[in-house]
Every structure is written in C-alpha cells, then in structure tokens.
Amino acid sequence: MRSALGRPRAVGPLWSATALAIALVVLAPLGALAWTALGAGAAHWAHLFEHVLPRAAAQTVTLLAGVGVLTAVVGTGCAWLVTRVDFPGRTVLRWALLLPLTVPTYIAAYSYVDLLHPIGPFQGAVRALLGFDSPRQFRLPDARSMGGAVLVLSAVLYPYVYLSMRAMFSTQPARLMEAARLLGEGPWGAFRRVALPMARPALAVGVGLVLLEVLNDVGASEFLGVSTLTTTIYTTWVTRSDLGAAAQIACAMLAMVALLVWLERQGRRHLRADSVRAMRAATRPRLRGASAWLATAAASLPVLIGFVLPAGHLVVLAWKRAAEGHGLSAEILSGAMHSAALASSVTAIAVVAGLVVAWAARSTGGAGRPRAWWLGSAALGYAIPGTVLAIGLLPPALAVDGWVAERLGLPGLPLMSLGAVLAVACVMRFLALPIGSVEAGLARLPPPLEQVARCLGETPLGTLRRVHLPLLRPALTTSALLVFIDVMKELPASLLLRPANVETLPTLLYAEAARGSYEHGALAALLIVAVGLPAVLLLSREPVAPTSSTPPEPAAPHTRSEAKTSVPLAAMKEAT
C-alpha cells in the first residue's frame, strides 16, 4: 500500500525473505563458477590463454560484430519502412517480419546447411540454370563459415531490433521531422540526424538482446563451423571432461557479457521520454510505381530468408518422411512429452517466483528510491548463457543431490535423474520474463485501488489475491506463454543438464544433426517452430500510434522484446 506521500509499505518479512532467497539461488551458480575456476589451477589458465582463448575470443567477437551490424541495419530499415511509408503489403509485413523469431538459431543453421549443400536443392537449381552438371564445375561458397554464421543468425535474430525500433519510430513526434525538412534536410538527412539519434536507446536494447542470444547459441555456431567461446565451453566439458577448464572459459565469457551489458547501458544514457499526449503522428506518404514495389521487396526479403525458406524446407522434409511411413515416431512423441513437461513445470515455478520478487521489490522502495537489489539479481539469469549457467549450477546441484540421496537413502543422483536440476536452470534463465511483465503490470495499477482495499481491512496478501492478481492476469498469462515457448526451444542447458537417456525436442534434433541425419528430425524441428507461432501473434500487437485527433494513453509494454528488456537490460545491468 502507498501512503499519502506515495511511499509503499512493506508487505512483510516473509515476502522479502522469499525474494532474497530467490535472488541468492540465482547468484549461487556465479559463486560456484568462480570457485570451480579458481580450483582448476594456474596451469589450465596458461594453456587456455595460449591455445584456446585467443582463437575462440576472436571468432566470438567477429561473430558478434557481424551479427550486430547486420541485424541493426535490417531491423532498423524494416521498422522505418513499415512505420513511416505506405506500400503494398505493409499491413501484412508489419507482423510477418516477426515470423523469424519462431525459428531457433540451430534449426535455421541445420536448414540452410541442408539447402545450400553442394548437392542440395539450391545449388542444384543454380547449376541447372547456368548449364553445369556437377559441383566440380560450379559451387557456391560453403555455408559452414563465419560469413554463413553471420547471415543465418542475423536472419532469425533481427526481429529483436525491429521490435524495439518499430515501437520507437511509431511514437516519435512528427513535428521534429517536419522541422528538419523545413530547415533543408532531405528524407535521408532527417532520418540520419533526427530520427536515428532519438531511437538510439531502442537500438541499443535490440542489439543488446541479439548479442546475448548469439552468446547463448551452441547448436548453430557448432554446426556452422564457428568456434565461439560458448561452443568451446561445451566441447571442453563434454568432449574433454574437463569441468575446471570449462569453468575458466566461462569466467572469461562472463567478462564479455558484462562488457556487452555495459555497452548497452551506455547506449541508453541520457534517455528522455517525450510525452505521448503531446505527440502528433507523422503521416505516411504512399509510395507508387517502382519505389513501392522496391519497398515491398526489401521488407519481404528478411521474412523470406528468416522464415519462409527454413520453415518451408522443414515442411518438405517432414512430408517426405511421412510419405515414407516415418511419421510421429515414439522417439519424437517421447521428446515432445519431455519438453512439454519441462516447459510446464518451469513456467509454473517461474511465474510464481517472478510475482514474489516483483511484488516484494515494489514494496521496499519509495518514490525516487532505487529498486530492491534483488530485482536485478533475480533477473540476472537471462544475461548468462545457458552453458555458463549449467557449469555454475552443477557443483552446488551435485552437493544438494548427494545430501538428498544420503538423507533419503536413495541411490545415485535423484534430483538430476528426475530433471529437477535442468528445471532449476531454466527457471533461473527465464525468470526475468515474469519479473518484467509483473513489474510493468504493477506500475500500471493506480495506488487508490490498493489504498481502498487496505482501508477496508484487507491484509497485504488479501489485497494481492483479491485486487492485484485479477488485474495482473494479462501480464501473468503473457509471461507464462513466453516462458513456455522459450523453454521448449532451449538447447544449451538441456544438452548439459538433462537426465541420462532422456531427450527433449531440441536435443533430439541436435543428435540427429550431429549424426548427419537432419531429415530424421525434421518433424521435431517443425513442432518447435509451430510452438513459437503463438508468440508471434502476441508480438504482433503493438501500441496504437498517436494521432492528431485522439492521442491515446501511453501503452504499457507487452511484447517479448519489451518484456525481456524491462528488467534484464535495465535492472540486471545495474547488478552486473
């Protein structure tokens, strides 16, 4: 409850203690990671600095730079087109440009390696058009290269930049662009000197999310032949069975994560929010002739490369497998059930934990005070790549698992074999989503609602149950959907922490691709893509742009990009 001075009252020590415990659980893997790295000895560090880290760090930086630049150009250009000009197909492309988010990076990589193989369909069609008969006469550059990795990852990750820039361009006041044009600037000059500098914070958020996704990637980078720090951690742990060296590489990678978060913070400095009520929307000029169709082609190309081609390829492979009598096998059904069970349990835990943390943090600071430190700490998991989180979580998880087995007289590692450790890792990884959604939902609720409930004798818990929870239902539903979809697609943590002889859809697909039989996992890949489609429908909703006649209320963020950035790249970077 807020007093007359606007200061919220504490909800009780139990809430604060629970939120603190959640934050400490999220921070525990980082402490365990540092302890494991220090215990591995200096000899490992010397070997890593001489033979491993230079090449892996150089490849990681190159990949980050290439993907960051390309996604910034594509996302910004597409957002500008759909918000500032009118052309054929603009209404459809405004939401279709989000479709590549349904294709995980590893699925896109597998699809394009198959499509662009020297004896694959694309190169075969090109040779037929040019009159060549075999790959020895003519072949395109290999997709398994740094250039191929940059293109593939950019094709499916640019929507993060597109989302944030679309929201920014939609709410920029028309008067500033008109003033620039009156002062002699052309369309390009007005965009470069007025619109783009104003959108710099949104660009920093979008690119920051893209780079964090690139750092988290394992399957695509490994399959495309790029030895990043993430793939090096995985191979060091799994192939060489050297947890100490993997922990040391993970510590070096955390330094890169901290640098990325700091750079994103610098990009958001001096952010000033203009009043939405005072804005007048810019009119969209209608393009005609060649310019109109060129704009349509330019906005359609990312959708074609990022969604239509890989998804279409999956449909063709799945159809061929079904025609051969290989439909939904028992292995795929088992993987789907394991993925659904994991996603359901993680979603339930994450939503409840996110509600507790956001509610407790809301009630500990007054106007002008910084938010509770545990809000940023509990949301820190999203910035930590799945491989790093798994390595940090393993030592404390094994210690707890051994204690539980000894107390209960159970053989082996019961928590690990039941998938509890993997579930905990996924909760840590995606806890930022419900925290961000609930925090944004609570910020929209007027204080008098809570004040009236408390004056009528309701306890803090009763106020939450009878007043806030019904009003927070859209935010909770949105965050639950996003967590469920992200867990269904999660590969790095699943590869490292899943129980023995248990496969999820992503690990099943990864195993098929590693064996060179990617087509056998086409149906599993198609199921993963289909699960992500509801998120696109959710993301396609955007705040209505203000008009000159009826300026709307400022819309609260509800998209995946905004849900992820409201806490991870704001509060989380403070903790970092």
Side-chain angles (χ1 to χ4, degrees), residues 176-195:
L176 297 179
M177 295 295 292
E178 293 170 353
R181 297 301 300 274
L182 289 174
L183 292 173
E185 289 288 354
W188 167 247
F191 167 77
R192 180 176 58 87
R193 301 185 64 179
V194 177

Side-chain angles (χ1 to χ4, degrees), residues 300-347:
S300 301
L301 187 60
V303 182
L304 176 67
I305 298 175
F307 177 77
V308 175
L309 289 179
H313 184 59
L314 291 178
V315 171
V316 171
L317 290 180
W319 181 269
K320 289 181 179 179
R321 293 284 297 170
E324 296 171 357
H326 304 287
L328 279 173
S329 63
E331 191 176 23
I332 293 178
L333 288 175
S334 176
M337 291 177 60
H338 291 150
S339 293
L342 174 65
S344 300
S345 59
V346 169
T347 299

Side-chain angles (χ1 to χ4, degrees), residues 24-36 237 243 388-404 413 415-416 421 424 428 497:
L24 292 178
V25 168
V26 175
L27 292 175
L30 298 182
L33 181 67
W35 181 264
T36 305
W237 184 3
L243 181 61
V388 177
L389 186 63
I391 291 176
L393 182 62
L394 188 62
L398 290 178
V400 173
D401 214 356
W403 181 84
V404 171
L413 299 172
L415 298 181
M416 182 74 76
V421 177
V424 170
M428 294 179 179
L497 296 177

